[in-house]
Amino acid sequence: MGMLVKGKWTTRDSYIKQGSFFRETSKITGAVELEADAGSGVEPRYWLIASKSCAWSHGATIIRAICKLQAHVGLHIAHGPRIEGYAIDGGESWNVPGTTVQIEHVHQIYSLSDEMFTGRSTVPVLWDAGAARIVSNDSRSIIRSFTDLGRRLGNGAVDLAPAALHDRIEATNDWLFAELSNAVYQAGFAESQRAYDVAEAAVFETLDALDNHLAKHRYLLGEVITESDWRLFATLVRFDCVYAVLHRCSRKRLVDYPSLWAYARELYAWPGAAETVDFAEILQGSYLNDTSNNPHNIVPALPRADWQAPSDRGLFKPGLAWPMPDAAGFGPSL
């Protein structure tokens, strides 16, 4: 996949260790507070650089849409052949906002921000055009900054991270990441049977638990939709077309889970959500770039599934809050 070493692109990488996939933790993290008046100029100060195929990017683009931040946070979609990691604009050059610099690869915005940066040049990236630097490349921090900005703007967007639920949201996000959202990649990138078996088991234990929970509750935290629901959605929308096939998580499909499938369709119907889903780009980006499981670069047909079918989730009465994950981090005992 390649990475930057002291600001220079190399073909080195270290994401496989003893047959198991290890995701590098984001290097540019920490709390992010965006200025509420950042969208008052001709162009926004902040820019989200994201990929339509990347689930972590998708989580950020959904929250940007749900929180109605289009005038405050610009969006640039990185796409095209990954010759040196993500292409910034399909092989064409892009002028980095706030500078006169033209770049062709996402890794160049990392070295522009920090000429000695070492690590993988991942998306999403939140760029501050005023300071000419990357604010964060951590999807969780970016999502929370969007949620907080939407609340401060008071523009009618829902509060996706109420203060009273912060601890439960964080615990749920940790569980979903470890046992589902990252586990599907651990299964897909595994280079040993044991690594695959462990990851695949975690994926379906988690999906089973979620389906049982959502048979009784409207959302993950009861009747209140939160960041956690949208982070989960970004994984679910890719499950049948990518993870069940390319990543060999084939025991069951999303459409085989009645409650989870209905829940996913409800979120898809949420105003602004469907516009962030691009199945063609999800297929292209995943099957042509993500693993060595597809050596001939065959992009399959999209599985038949009616995402616009009524979900009937509105029949639920207010539910109880999502219980905290247990000490072992394997999620709630349902």
Side-chain angles (χ1 to χ4, degrees):
M1 291 186 180
M3 62 183 290
L4 286 168
V5 177
K6 296 183 178 180
K8 304 297 183 183
W9 178 257
T10 76
T11 56
R12 290 168 49 186
D13 217 324
S14 57
Y15 64 94
I16 300 293
K17 297 179 181 178
Q18 297 180 331
S20 298
F21 168 72
F22 288 86
R23 185 178 297 279
E24 179 184 84
T25 56
S26 299
K27 296 290 184 70
I28 309 171
T29 62
V32 177
E33 183 171 341
L34 306 183
E35 296 182 10
D37 62 350
S40 58
V42 176
E43 288 193 347
R45 172 174 174 175
Y46 303 106
W47 285 80
L48 176 66
I49 295 101
S51 163
K52 290 183 177 181
S53 66
C54 168
W56 321 111
S57 288
H58 194 186
T61 59
I62 292 173
I63 301 300
R64 173 181 174 270
I66 299 299
C67 291
K68 303 179 182 178
L69 301 181
Q70 290 87 339
H72 299 267
V73 179
L75 176 63
H76 182 76
I77 298 298
H79 65 284
R82 296 183 200 172
I83 298 170
E84 295 182 9
Y86 283 97
I88 195 70
D89 200 10
E92 301 296 325
S93 62
W94 181 60
N95 189 85
V96 180
T99 77
T100 59
V101 177
Q102 300 277 331
I103 65 173
E104 294 181 358
H105 308 284
V106 169
H107 73 75
Q108 292 172 305
I109 203 169
Y110 277 78
S111 53
L112 178 62
S113 179
D114 176 3
E115 63 182 12
M116 296 299 288
F117 182 85
T118 294
R120 297 186 63 208
S121 51
T122 58
V123 287
V125 171
L126 186 59
W127 174 258
D128 181 345
R133 68 181 181 91
I134 294 174
V135 176
S136 179
N137 73 337
D138 176 56
S139 62
R140 182 177 294 198
S141 297
I142 293 171
I143 285 171
R144 182 56 53 84
S145 73
F146 289 175
T147 299
D148 291 344
L149 179 57
R151 182 192 306 111
R152 284 184 283 122
L153 289 171
N155 58 3
V158 295
D159 186 353
L160 297 175
L165 296 178
H166 274 195
D167 289 347
R168 286 176 172 169
I169 290 171
E170 292 301 316
T172 301
N173 289 346
D174 287 343
W175 176 61
L176 290 172
F177 174 84
E179 304 304 317
L180 179 61
S181 300
N182 193 50
V184 292
Y185 287 90
Q186 291 176 320
F189 287 21
E191 294 184 1
S192 75
Q193 188 65 48
R194 183 181 183 280
Y196 166 78
D197 290 343
V198 170
E200 191 269 354
V203 167
F204 287 99
E205 287 173 7
T206 304
L207 291 176
D208 289 345
L210 288 167
D211 193 58
N212 289 335
H213 178 77
L214 291 165
K216 307 177 186 72
H217 307 291
R218 180 85 175 263
Y219 304 118
L220 295 183
L221 287 156
E223 276 296 288
V224 180
I225 195 166
T226 67
E227 289 175 2
S228 299
D229 293 288
W230 293 111
R231 291 170 67 90
L232 173 58
F233 175 77
T235 296
L236 296 181
V237 80
R238 288 162 172 76
F239 197 86
D240 287 3
C241 62
V242 176
Y243 304 141
V245 182
L246 184 65
H247 290 210
R248 300 175 295 220
C249 293
S250 52
R251 191 188 310 190
K252 294 175 72 175
R253 302 165 300 164
L254 173 62
V255 296
D256 295 326
Y257 288 100
S259 298
L260 197 55
W261 172 223
Y263 161 87
R265 297 200 312 276
E266 182 191 354
L267 267 59
Y268 184 83
W270 192 279
E275 289 82 355
T276 69
V277 179
D278 189 329
F279 284 112
E281 283 295 323
I282 289 171
L283 289 172
Q284 288 279 335
S286 299
Y287 283 87
L288 299 184
N289 297 289
D290 276 356
T291 81
S292 59
N293 296 339
N294 188 31
H296 299 293
N297 290 334
I298 304 299
V299 179
L302 184 69
R304 290 183 179 178
D306 188 358
W307 280 88
Q308 296 180 327
S311 69
D312 296 328
R313 300 288 292 175
L315 300 177
F316 275 89
K317 294 181 180 179
L320 301 176
W322 180 244
M324 293 281 284
D326 63 26
F330 290 103
S333 300
L334 299 177

